[in-house]
Amino acid sequence: MELSLYVNHVIVSKLIQPYGPYMEIKRPVWKVFLPNLCFLILQVILILTKLYDFHLGSVTESSLWRSMDYGSTYERLNDKVGVKTVLSYLYVCPTNKRKIMVLTDPEFESSVLISSDEGASYQKYRLSFYVLSLLFHPSQEDWALAYSHDQKLYSSFDFGRKWQLVHERVTPNRFYWSVSGLDRDADLVHMEAHTAEGQCQYMTCKAQACSESSRTFPFPSYIETNSLVVQDEYIVIQVGTNKLTCCLFARYAAEDMHILSTDQGQVFAAVQEWNQNDTYNLYISDPRGVYFTLALENVKTTRGLGGNSMIDLYEVAGIKGMLIANRKVENQVKTYITYNKGRDWRLLQAPSTDLEGNEIYCVLPFCSLHLQLQMSENPYLSGSITTKSPVPGVIVATGNIGSELSYNNVGMFISSDAGNSWRQIFDEEHNVWFLDKGGALLAVKQPTVPTRHLWISFDEGRQWTRHSFSAMPLFVDGVLVEPGMDNQILTFFGHFSDRSEWQLIKIDYKSLFTKRCAEGDFQTWHLHNQGEPCVMGQKQIYMKRRPGLYCMLGKDSSRILSAEPCICRAHDFDDYGYERRGDGNCLPAFWFNPATVSRSCSLGQNYLNSTGYRKVAANNCTKGVKEMYTARKQQCPNRPPRGLHLATQDNKLTANLGSNVTFVVQLEELDFGDGTAVSYSNLSWTEEGIRHVYRSAGIFRVTALAENSLGFDSTSLYLHVTCPVEHVQLLAPFVVIKNKEVNLTAMVWPSHSRTVTYFWWLGNSTEPVITLEGSISYVFSAEGMNTVTVQVSSANSILQDTKTIAVQEFFKSLLLSFSPNLDEANPDIPEWRQDVGRVIKKALLQVSQLLVAVFPGIPTAAELFLLPSKNQSDARKRNEEDLEQISEILVSALNQNLVEFELKPGSRVIVYITQLTLAPLVDSIPRHSSSAMLMLLSVVFLGLAVFLIYKFKRYNNTSLQYTGSQCFCFAGTKPPE
């Protein structure tokens, strides 16, 4: 029977391609984007289109279109939003569809355009950030959260006109408004945020006042990134190390987790365990969302267009507890169905005949029907499977018949009895939509194939009528079917070719109906599972329109005629920690101890001891085995404390000296013996925790102890209290003996105990020696100048000091002192000491084999080192004699006060030899070891230098003069004028 459709064809704009945030279709030349379509109130449709320049690789133009007559005519609104304004996304307030928010493209500007009259007029407001996503409040129409490109979260309470910062370093898409009825404050925000060190925390605060003091951390420890889910009455997080969860989902560690649903008082979660790559295990929780039972293993995943994993699990609309999943079994993917929320699964029975009526030979379990379960990422296409609540039991899906799921030689299949039996309706892939509140089916070929026709069925896919909607074959890129609207209008959009303009086709299919459905046009349908009438503990009877009638359903299209409870049987029960054996009985799993008493149980109270069975959530059965399987009430035993936990509030094991450290003490199980029990509680005497200020640095052992008459439990942590190092000085001798052990010491200020790490870079080594002590012994094996560097690490600071050490086989040294007036000019800093030493060396001896070191501190003192000639290998004895002779000459000159220098005009400094400190010749022969120690001891007593700010001219008129002929003879040259 051929029926007529009213078709209105509209060309939106030449070369302007609609765009939306959902999907991208690639073609040989052009890249075509789907439109951002919004069906608002009554007759208004808004379309946002963009022009994409493939040469520039970006969007260059945009247009906003508005229709007030269901798409018959469109008005271009570019003059109202700004002729040159390029728009990116369009949002509709979910609680008031008259309010529209349109974002500009951040490549051009960052602004928001706001409309309060169904998109007829707009006001433009500048933004100081780029919006990546918006989240509207579920009940307050003017409240919204905006997530920016730099991971900042903003809030607005006047529908986007003004914004304020809520928090920084927020994880994308991990922020949620308050849950109505559970959260006290409507403006509370749940979010997953990162610390400055990169750790992730679950945090809550008010969107209007999220100061540091008002933030709360419901979970005290760090959590895994991208794990926070706030849905219905459940809050789910992952806790662990290196993505290993500590949640109670699995027997073993899990790698990834997705919350699939939280309806009907349970959490349905998909968990990828350590030994899985492309599959997940399904777990279902108890009503509290704490304990989980394995529902199905090795569920297949599919990669979406954005690279995200999509679980091949589909929840059938309109029937509680009915799920379809694709499971990997022995390297084959098969489709399974359950009617009791995952307790029992079975394969799908294939159709008995094909489209031509030929018999199909397909015997379970070797052959069955397999379905593709991908939901469409484009909201204007139906996806590979579709169901609708107003038509319970009707399932339309793409699939194949065989031993496993295949993506070749697929067809379209339909079930009218909730998956018990199936029929094939097409031998090619189609998009299928429900029309007239589910009373009719619309089918159109996939967008890859152009078509002029659509098919409509009024008898649940048994018969189809073909209708023409276009004079030319059209690539259908989407169909807008607005639910809940009391009209019979479709809007097709697509294109004739890769370079054609965008086509919009409005179809009014009201003429297909002959009348409105009356009471006699309906029949009853009994929900069942392979003939079993009890599904989820009740017998359900639905009213459905009689197949083949062309009557319009109207508003109340589907309803449950009756729902009668069934007698409880074994398949209505399951429980956490128990596994069903082959005989159908539930026994404890090998990893579960059924003797474990509930943590909330205390002496004098009762607890429910599981029998191994628990009625499936949302199951409505009654009587029968219910009493036999119900948990037994038993008296709580007295127990010692167990499960004591101690941590700092920020979960760190370091603290700065003088800071307020907050400790949190928790206990899993504690019975005080007087009827009072604590379970998973914060035992700190204040809600904020136990605070303590450390006045000294070090590593401290912090211990918590819980005790009652039956025993005790204790736990400890080691807290590193550190203070940043402000100064480090390396103490080392200036000259050392080759192949002799020498002591190197690093002095730090403030003084630290066991909280400093020392890194020693010795000689030309490429790897440091690491110690926890400030001293190290080392042997230099080669002569010459060696550089020693020590780096000191404490808290977040690293400081270093470097010294140059001369390594010789032997040397001679003299200790020098100065007249008291030098002390008055001594600022006691390294630069000044270097200058004075350089002046003394230059004046005393015009050769390089002499070193002068001025010691820190006051009174000013120095050490003079006489080094052998470099070419001394063949004449060591003569070099030793030369050093001895030079030493005697210097001693004589110094004793006669013949060495002096001018500090400043009118102030001369006399250089003396320190009495009784003349060291003998020091070398590497064992008999001189005591002399070497004497030289080393001369520098061990040095104190820590106190650094002062001073102004000292590095090269001034200071000079050194000799008075006596001995100096001329010693130097061998004419003294300076």
Side-chain angles (χ1 to χ4, degrees):
M1 175 174 153
E2 183 73 22
L3 299 176
S4 60
L5 297 173
Y6 171 75
V7 178
N8 181 37
H9 191 169
V10 179
I11 301 177
V12 173
S13 178
K14 186 76 172 179
L15 297 182
I16 298 290
Q17 302 297 339
Y19 175 84
Y22 303 99
M23 184 178 177
E24 174 183 292
I25 301 176
K26 295 184 177 178
R27 307 202 181 280
V29 180
W30 294 88
K31 188 178 292 183
V32 180
F33 296 93
L34 291 177
N36 193 337
L37 289 169
C38 295
F39 214 154
L40 305 182
I41 64 171
L42 298 179
Q43 305 177 0
V44 176
I45 298 176
L46 288 178
I47 300 179
L48 174 61
T49 63
K50 288 185 177 183
L51 177 62
Y52 187 89
D53 191 317
F54 280 82
H55 299 290
L56 297 177
S58 62
V59 175
T60 58
E61 298 178 29
S62 69
S63 295
L64 185 62
W65 306 84
R66 185 172 185 262
S67 173
M68 297 184 63
D69 52 10
Y70 292 117
S72 296
T73 60
Y74 284 87
E75 175 190 6
R76 190 175 182 179
L77 304 180
N78 284 32
D79 57 334
K80 297 183 179 181
V81 299
V83 177
K84 296 184 178 181
T85 301
V86 180
L87 306 177
S88 59
Y89 291 108
L90 183 149
Y91 294 89
V92 182
C93 177
T95 55
N96 184 356
K97 292 189 175 182
R98 296 178 60 88
K99 293 187 174 182
I100 314 297
M101 196 178 294
V102 187
L103 300 178
T104 60
D105 192 324
E107 293 293 330
F108 298 89
E109 62 174 308
S110 183
S111 300
V112 59
L113 293 99
I114 296 172
S115 173
S116 300
D117 52 8
E118 308 161 33
S121 61
Y122 294 87
Q123 292 177 308
K124 191 174 184 180
Y125 297 88
R126 294 282 183 179
L127 298 176
S128 60
F129 57 93
Y130 298 153
V131 178
L132 292 185
S133 62
L134 285 176
L135 179 65
F136 291 98
H137 195 278
S139 60
Q140 300 292 331
E141 61 184 57
D142 290 334
W143 294 9
L145 296 175
Y147 187 77
S148 70
H149 68 291
D150 53 355
Q151 297 185 322
K152 294 180 180 179
L153 187 65
Y154 295 84
S155 64
S156 175
F157 294 87
D158 54 5
F159 201 71
R161 292 168 176 82
K162 291 181 295 184
W163 297 87
Q164 61 186 18
L165 179 65
V166 178
H167 196 65
E168 299 177 340
R169 297 187 295 271
V170 178
T171 306
N173 302 317
R174 298 296 175 176
F175 49 89
Y176 308 86
W177 280 110
S178 60
V179 180
S180 178
L182 298 178
D183 289 321
R184 181 179 58 185
D185 301 309
D187 64 337
L188 188 73
V189 177
H190 301 258
M191 72 186 85
E192 182 183 293
H194 292 261
T195 64
E197 294 78 18
Q199 301 288 351
C200 195
Q201 292 179 303
Y202 166 38
M203 184 180 71
T204 63
C205 68
K206 292 185 178 181
Q208 300 185 72
C210 191
S211 61
E212 185 173 355
S213 60
S214 63
R215 298 167 191 161
T216 59
F217 299 90
F219 189 79
S221 301
Y222 295 125
I223 66 174
E224 290 295 322
T225 302
N226 282 317
S227 70
L228 175 65
V229 177
V230 179
Q231 192 169 313
D232 296 328
E233 66 268 33
Y234 296 100
I235 298 174
V236 182
I237 56 175
Q238 273 183 277
V239 185
T241 304
N242 296 328
K243 294 188 71 176
L244 299 180
T245 181
C246 293
C247 298
L248 300 176
F249 293 110
R251 308 168 191 171
Y252 310 109
E255 295 291 331
D256 193 18
M257 176 188 69
H258 298 279
I259 302 301
L260 304 179
S261 69
T262 55
D263 59 351
Q264 302 177 22
Q266 281 183 302
V267 178
F268 222 134
V271 178
Q272 188 174 59
E273 301 190 30
W274 65 274
N275 59 340
Q276 295 177 306
N277 293 319
D278 57 350
T279 60
Y280 282 71
N281 291 343
L282 298 182
Y283 288 86
I284 190 166
S285 78
D286 65 348
R288 294 187 302 160
V290 175
Y291 297 108
F292 284 73
T293 304
L294 180 65
L296 187 65
E297 291 183 299
N298 296 321
V299 178
K300 173 183 172 291
T301 59
T302 304
R303 287 289 176 186
L305 292 175
N308 56 310
S309 296
M310 296 187 294
I311 313 297
D312 270 23
L313 177 73
Y314 184 80
E315 187 173 2
V316 178
I319 300 179
K320 293 181 179 180
M322 184 175 176
L323 303 163
I324 303 176
N326 284 328
R327 181 189 182 193
K328 193 172 184 179
V329 181
E330 297 179 350
N331 293 323
Q332 287 187 324
V333 177
K334 301 175 182 288
T335 301
Y336 290 80
I337 191 170
T338 179
Y339 294 85
N340 52 13
K341 297 199 75 171
R343 182 198 175 280
D344 302 293
W345 297 83
R346 64 172 175 83
L347 295 168
L348 297 181
Q349 178 65 59
S352 57
T353 59
D354 60 15
L355 282 175
E356 286 74 29
N358 301 316
E359 187 174 358
I360 298 176
Y361 296 96
C362 185
V363 180
L364 293 173
F366 310 103
C367 175
S368 59
L369 176 64
H370 309 285
L371 305 179
Q372 298 178 21
L373 304 179
Q374 290 80 41
M375 299 290 292
S376 176
E377 295 186 49
N378 171 13
Y380 311 114
L381 295 178
S382 64
S384 60
I385 184 170
T386 181
T387 58
K388 214 73 171 179
S389 295
V391 279
V394 178
I395 308 170
V396 185
T398 303
N400 67 283
I401 299 173
S403 60
E404 63 177 325
L405 179 67
S406 173
Y407 293 90
N408 300 317
N409 301 320
V410 299
M412 299 298 298
F413 298 87
I414 190 171
S415 174
S416 299
D417 57 2
N420 287 282
S421 63
W422 295 83
R423 305 185 309 275
Q424 186 172 2
I425 54 177
F426 296 108
D427 57 6
E428 294 179 288
E429 290 187 66
H430 285 65
N431 281 286
V432 179
W433 295 268
F434 289 93
L435 304 179
D436 185 36
K437 319 301 183 296
L441 294 174
L442 165 70
V444 180
K445 285 187 177 181
Q446 289 283 9
T448 54
V449 180
T451 182
R452 298 173 51 243
H453 307 289
L454 58 85
W455 286 260
I456 293 182
S457 174
F458 284 86
D459 57 1
E460 298 178 349
R462 293 176 177 85
Q463 293 183 342
W464 296 84
T465 57
R466 190 180 72 171
H467 305 272
S468 297
F469 65 88
S470 175
M472 296 176 56
L474 181 75
F475 289 95
V476 179
D477 290 308
V479 177
L480 178 64
V481 182
E482 179 65 18
M485 196 73 65
D486 192 16
N487 61 66
Q488 289 73 39
I489 291 178
L490 303 172
T491 301
F492 278 64
F493 53 91
H495 57 284
F496 293 131
S497 68
D498 295 327
R499 295 180 177 272
S500 70
E501 59 270 17
W502 197 263
Q503 310 292 324
L504 291 179
I505 299 177
K506 171 188 172 182
I507 300 176
D508 189 342
Y509 60 91
K510 189 174 183 178
S511 58
L512 297 178
F513 301 102
T514 58
K515 64 173 184 175
R516 284 194 174 272
C517 294
E519 191 68 27
D521 297 325
F522 294 89
Q523 65 181 18
T524 59
W525 173 72
H526 297 253
L527 174 64
H528 66 93
N529 175 13
Q530 292 185 315
E532 170 57 55
C534 290
V535 177
M536 290 297 286
Q538 62 181 356
K539 299 177 181 178
Q540 301 178 55
I541 302 176
Y542 293 85
M543 295 292 293
K544 301 174 68 173
R545 186 179 58 185
R546 295 182 183 277
L549 294 181
Y550 291 85
C551 65
M552 192 182 306
L553 288 176
K555 294 183 179 180
D556 298 325
S557 59
S558 175
R559 60 184 183 274
I560 298 179
L561 184 64
S562 65
E564 178 185 347
C566 297
I567 299 298
C568 289
R569 290 176 289 180
H571 64 257
D572 295 313
F573 293 80
D574 64 10
D575 205 350
Y576 169 79
Y578 288 81
E579 294 180 348
R580 195 171 298 277
R581 308 298 181 178
D583 58 3
N585 294 321
C586 287
L587 296 176
F590 75 92
W591 52 271
F592 179 67
N593 180 14
T596 302
V597 181
S598 171
R599 292 186 174 93
S600 59
C601 190
S602 61
L603 186 64
Q605 298 180 346
N606 297 319
Y607 76 101
L608 296 176
N609 188 12
S610 175
T611 60
Y613 298 86
R614 176 190 60 191
K615 192 166 71 169
V616 175
N619 187 295
N620 295 318
C621 73
T622 183
K623 299 180 180 179
V625 298
K626 181 179 179 180
E627 183 175 352
M628 181 176 62
Y629 288 160
T630 299
R632 303 287 186 265
K633 183 181 291 187
Q634 294 186 6
Q635 196 171 42
C636 298
N638 193 9
R639 295 165 299 165
R642 187 176 62 181
L644 187 63
H645 299 282
L646 173 64
T648 59
Q649 192 175 51
D650 58 3
N651 211 33
K652 296 180 180 179
L653 294 177
T654 62
N656 292 328
L657 183 66
S659 64
N660 216 332
V661 184
T662 302
F663 295 94
V664 178
V665 184
Q666 292 180 318
L667 189 65
E668 291 184 8
E669 298 182 25
L670 174 63
D671 193 322
F672 291 102
D674 59 356
T676 304
V678 178
S679 173
Y680 279 101
S681 296
N682 183 356
L683 301 184
S684 309
W685 56 69
T686 64
E687 293 183 359
E688 294 79 15
I690 303 171
R691 296 183 177 181
H692 183 70
V693 177
Y694 286 88
R695 302 300 181 186
S696 60
I699 302 177
F700 299 90
R701 179 181 179 181
V702 184
T703 303
L705 174 68
E707 185 178 13
N708 67 3
S709 59
L710 295 180
F712 69 93
D713 191 13
S714 64
T715 184
S716 300
L717 63 82
Y718 294 89
L719 184 69
H720 291 240
V721 179
T722 61
C723 179
V725 175
E726 298 181 14
H727 173 64
V728 58
Q729 182 185 12
L730 175 60
L731 302 182
F734 300 100
V735 184
V736 299
I737 298 299
K738 174 184 173 182
N739 294 326
K740 288 291 185 179
E741 190 175 73
V742 61
N743 184 57
L744 306 173
T745 301
M747 304 291 293
V748 297
W749 187 89
S751 177
H752 288 65
S753 173
R754 299 180 300 165
T755 62
V756 176
T757 304
Y758 300 85
F759 300 85
W760 304 87
W761 303 84
L762 304 168
N764 297 320
S765 62
T766 59
E767 294 292 333
V769 177
I770 304 174
T771 67
L772 297 178
E773 299 294 334
S775 297
I776 187 174
S777 296
Y778 187 72
V779 175
F780 293 92
S781 59
E783 290 187 64
M785 304 303 292
N786 287 266
T787 300
V788 176
T789 298
V790 61
Q791 292 182 324
V792 178
S793 174
S794 178
N796 294 323
S797 64
I798 296 180
L799 296 180
Q800 73 175 35
D801 191 17
T802 300
K803 290 288 188 293
T804 300
I805 299 177
V807 180
Q808 298 291 331
E809 285 204 11
F810 58 91
F811 63 89
K812 189 74 174 179
S813 68
L814 301 173
L815 294 180
L816 305 178
S817 59
F818 306 90
S819 56
N821 57 336
L822 182 60
D823 294 341
E824 299 175 1
N826 185 354
D828 199 14
I829 63 171
E831 291 83 357
W832 185 89
R833 292 192 290 270
Q834 292 173 9
D835 288 340
V836 172
R838 190 181 300 110
V839 171
I840 297 172
K841 174 185 175 182
K842 183 177 180 181
L844 278 176
L845 192 61
Q846 299 296 327
V847 293
S848 59
Q849 298 307 103
L850 183 145
L851 295 177
V852 177
V854 179
F855 300 142
I858 296 176
T860 308
E863 188 168 7
L864 176 67
F865 296 93
L866 301 175
L867 308 181
S869 173
K870 294 182 179 179
N871 301 319
Q872 53 83 40
S873 58
D874 297 330
R876 167 167 178 159
K877 183 175 181 180
R878 182 163 52 85
N879 274 274
E880 291 181 358
E881 293 174 352
D882 290 344
L883 286 186
E884 193 69 39
Q885 183 180 2
I886 293 172
S887 175
E888 292 175 357
I889 296 172
L890 279 175
V891 170
S892 177
L894 292 168
N895 284 334
Q896 298 178 53
N897 298 335
L898 299 178
V899 181
E900 63 178 17
F901 61 90
E902 189 176 62
L903 180 63
K904 59 183 178 178
S907 178
R908 304 188 68 82
V909 177
I910 301 175
V911 183
Y912 307 98
I913 184 170
T914 304
Q915 299 300 318
L916 303 179
T917 59
L918 182 62
L921 189 68
V922 181
D923 65 6
S924 58
I925 301 175
R927 67 176 181 274
H928 295 300
S929 60
S930 60
S931 301
M933 290 304 296
L934 177 62
M935 186 279 298
L936 295 176
L937 289 173
S938 67
V939 296
V940 169
F941 66 87
L942 300 180
L944 183 63
V946 178
F947 280 79
L948 304 175
I949 299 176
Y950 91 110
K951 296 181 180 179
F952 185 84
K953 187 174 182 181
R954 297 294 302 265
Y955 300 100
N956 53 20
N957 295 324
T958 303
S959 62
L960 184 68
Q961 298 181 358
Y962 291 92
T963 58
S965 60
Q966 289 179 327
C967 286
F968 299 155
C969 297
F970 160 72
T973 59
K974 184 179 179 180
E977 299 293 337

